[in-house]
Amino acid sequence: MNILLKSAKIVIPENKELHLKKRDILIKNGFIEKVASSINATSKTQIVNLKNLHVSLGWFDSSVSFGEPGFEERETISNGLAVASKSGFTDILLNPNTNPVPDTSSDIVFLKERSSGESTNLYPIGTLTQKSEGKDLAELFDMHNAGAVAFYDFKKQLTNPNLLKIALLYAQNFEGLVMSYPQDKHLKGRGIVHEGPISTKLGLKGIPAMAEELQVARDLFILEYTGGKLHVPTISTSGSVKLIADAKKKGLDVSCSVAIHNLMVTDESLQEFDTNFKVMPPLRGKSDCKALIKGLLNGTIDFVTSDHIPIDIEDKRVEFDNAMEGSIGLESAFGSLVPIFGMEQTISFLTAGRERFGLEKPGLKTGEKACLTLFDPEKDWEFSEDDIISTSKNSMFLGANLKGKVYGVVNNDQLTI
């Protein structure tokens, strides 16, 4: 397949030669053939000439959930990857949030085969323990060999500290990355929202920031003892930022991410009892948002994630206490980040993180595989249900004014717009 991107403004902050320059980009059979000021197309070339077209390296998301296998009513792998590509993401990590969970090498092989041939690449995360029950380690080495990029009991606390110690020691044999969810379930108790004035006012059971920070502190203490590689997904408090900053100063091999909604949406949004705002970790206060943004900008937080979690209508349109946690976020990710961080910083965030999971970062040189995202960073628009192609519609950004619209991607010798 031959594709010619016409008059595309290239956004690659690390490449001073091409950054913010308008160029034509010719792609042949999935590889970059030429980048020049003007390129003439042959008759067999598909020309892409879109309004205010901007191009960056393909975007990466480290925390995406679908449903298949087991919860296909929430999202299938095929449609989920179509959502990701339409949202600008060429590479996503799939959380072990299925039924059954992927805790063997054959499960990892199934997910990779089920996602082959799509324009967005899917990389499975295997569970850390068998059936995500927190009792015995899963087949980490076999899953690693089958293609698992990390190991994680999705949104579940690893209550046994010795199990984390053993996992960190064992995974060093093959450079495996261990993930640990930052929440102490005993301190969380029956809490469903951030503990503070809003939870008291609304009469909702609160989750103290300490529930997250105590778990982060414990895990970092174990990491200092064992060595190895630890990733802390979706932190949400100012205290967690400080703990991880201190750990990095010590030289510990730790990384962390933050969900996009935790950067900009506070617990004040809960006052209408809209279950789309019920997420884990919970929406926190303004001071936490400020600390998370500062941590992201100074490099303490390594990358952002949509933390995309489709939930079917039967589990969302119920009483707030009974609703499942989660919000979809792929379709709104770019448009919600640009108003806060601007285009260039947003692109830096969305293209970061691959190396941590052992994935190769794409480039924009002749002969390299074309892995590109196409977008218009200046379009103002209101996010509505018509903009959602996810099977589930549980987005906390419905009705929000966003800036920046995604056209699609060029990846795996496919154009998706």
Side-chain angles (χ1 to χ4, degrees):
M1 184 179 188
N2 296 342
I3 303 166
L4 178 60
L5 307 179
K6 293 293 292 181
S7 299
K9 182 175 281 191
I10 297 173
V11 185
I12 305 183
E14 63 270 28
N15 187 331
K16 294 180 180 179
E17 189 176 317
L18 289 176
H19 184 49
L20 299 183
K21 302 292 195 303
K22 273 195 175 183
R23 296 288 187 270
D24 288 359
I25 304 172
L26 180 61
I27 299 157
K28 286 189 176 182
N29 300 320
F31 291 86
I32 296 171
E33 178 79 8
K34 188 177 182 182
V35 180
S37 298
S38 181
I39 301 173
N40 295 321
T42 63
S43 58
K44 295 182 180 180
T45 300
Q46 182 172 352
I47 298 175
V48 179
N49 195 349
L50 299 167
K51 182 180 179 181
N52 198 30
L53 176 60
H54 286 59
V55 172
S56 74
L57 301 179
W59 301 346
F60 169 76
D61 195 330
S62 64
S63 180
V64 174
S65 299
F66 293 148
E68 186 181 358
F71 302 114
E72 286 84 354
E73 72 278 7
R74 299 177 187 173
E75 189 63 276
T76 63
I77 289 174
S78 179
N79 191 67
L81 291 174
V83 172
S85 61
K86 287 283 191 177
S87 303
F89 293 91
T90 56
D91 301 272
I92 62 107
L93 304 191
L94 185 68
N95 288 315
N97 187 27
T98 55
N99 184 25
V101 292
D103 61 356
T104 67
S105 57
S106 60
D107 296 326
I108 300 301
V109 170
F110 165 78
L111 291 170
K112 289 184 71 67
E113 290 181 348
R114 189 71 181 83
S115 62
S116 65
E118 304 286 351
S119 57
T120 292
N121 300 315
L122 181 154
Y123 299 96
I125 299 173
T127 64
L128 186 62
T129 65
Q130 295 176 21
K131 298 182 180 179
S132 285
E133 292 178 344
K135 296 178 181 178
D136 300 293
L137 286 184
E139 302 175 3
L140 305 190
F141 182 64
D142 288 346
M143 287 194 290
H144 169 77
N145 287 340
V149 296
F151 308 101
Y152 177 32
D153 289 349
F154 180 69
K155 304 284 186 183
K156 292 183 178 179
Q157 179 207 3
L158 195 62
T159 55
N160 184 347
N162 189 55
L163 205 55
L164 178 63
K165 183 193 80 172
I166 294 170
L168 286 166
L169 288 169
Y170 177 62
Q172 290 178 53
N173 293 306
F174 52 91
E175 292 293 310
L177 179 63
V178 173
M179 298 171 66
S180 179
Y181 181 55
Q183 190 173 85
D184 185 300
K185 71 176 184 180
H186 302 292
L187 282 171
K188 172 185 178 290
R190 297 173 65 187
I192 55 175
V193 299
H194 173 58
E195 182 181 85
I198 299 295
S199 65
T200 302
K201 175 184 174 183
L202 299 179
L204 297 172
K205 292 181 175 64
I207 304 170
M210 179 174 61
E212 175 173 306
E213 293 157 8
L214 188 65
Q215 186 76 6
V216 171
R218 185 206 77 169
D219 292 351
L220 292 173
F221 193 86
I222 294 172
L223 177 67
E224 188 172 7
Y225 177 82
T226 61
K229 294 161 54 176
L230 177 69
H231 178 65
V232 184
T234 59
I235 65 170
S236 67
T237 75
S238 58
S240 293
V241 176
K242 185 177 186 305
L243 286 165
I244 291 170
D246 291 343
K248 288 187 172 185
K249 288 177 184 176
K250 290 181 180 180
L252 301 186
D253 192 352
V254 60
S255 58
C256 67
S257 64
V258 61
I260 291 170
H261 50 255
N262 280 112
L263 293 169
M264 59 196 70
V265 186
T266 70
D267 58 349
E268 292 182 0
S269 301
L270 300 171
Q271 301 194 57
E272 299 298 322
F273 293 94
D274 184 343
T275 58
N276 285 332
F277 291 90
K278 186 180 180 184
V279 291
M280 280 296 148
L283 301 173
R284 302 286 186 179
K286 290 181 180 178
S287 60
D288 292 301
C289 287
K290 289 179 181 178
L292 291 167
I293 289 172
K294 183 178 179 181
L296 187 60
L297 291 172
N298 66 25
T300 299
I301 300 174
D302 297 270
F303 34 90
V304 300
T305 171
S306 69
D307 203 27
H308 180 86
I309 305 177
I311 303 294
D312 55 276
I313 193 170
E314 287 80 6
D315 290 310
K316 266 298 183 183
R317 289 195 183 173
V318 294
E319 295 84 357
F320 196 90
D321 279 359
N322 297 326
M324 289 185 66
E325 299 97 350
S327 173
I328 59 172
L330 286 170
E331 289 120 322
S332 57
F334 181 61
S336 57
L337 286 170
V338 170
I340 297 177
F341 297 104
M343 176 190 67
E344 293 180 53
Q345 187 67 73
T346 294
I347 296 304
S348 293
F349 292 153
L350 292 175
T351 53
R354 285 179 174 87
E355 296 91 337
R356 183 60 173 168
F357 297 91
L359 306 178
E360 186 177 348
K361 186 173 181 177
L364 189 56
K365 295 179 180 177
T366 301
E368 289 189 297
K369 179 178 176 287
C371 178
L372 305 171
T373 298
L374 318 179
F375 58 94
D376 174 0
E378 297 172 9
K379 183 175 178 60
D380 296 304
W381 56 296
E382 181 179 311
F383 189 62
S384 71
E385 196 165 309
D386 292 337
D387 300 300
I388 297 176
I389 59 175
S390 297
T391 302
S392 298
K393 312 299 180 185
N394 56 304
S395 171
M396 71 170 68
F397 287 99
L398 283 169
N401 294 315
L402 307 182
K403 185 179 181 68
K405 190 79 170 179
V406 177
Y407 287 123
V409 302
V410 178
N411 193 41
N412 295 334
D413 197 19
Q414 297 178 56
L415 170 66
T416 303
I417 55 175

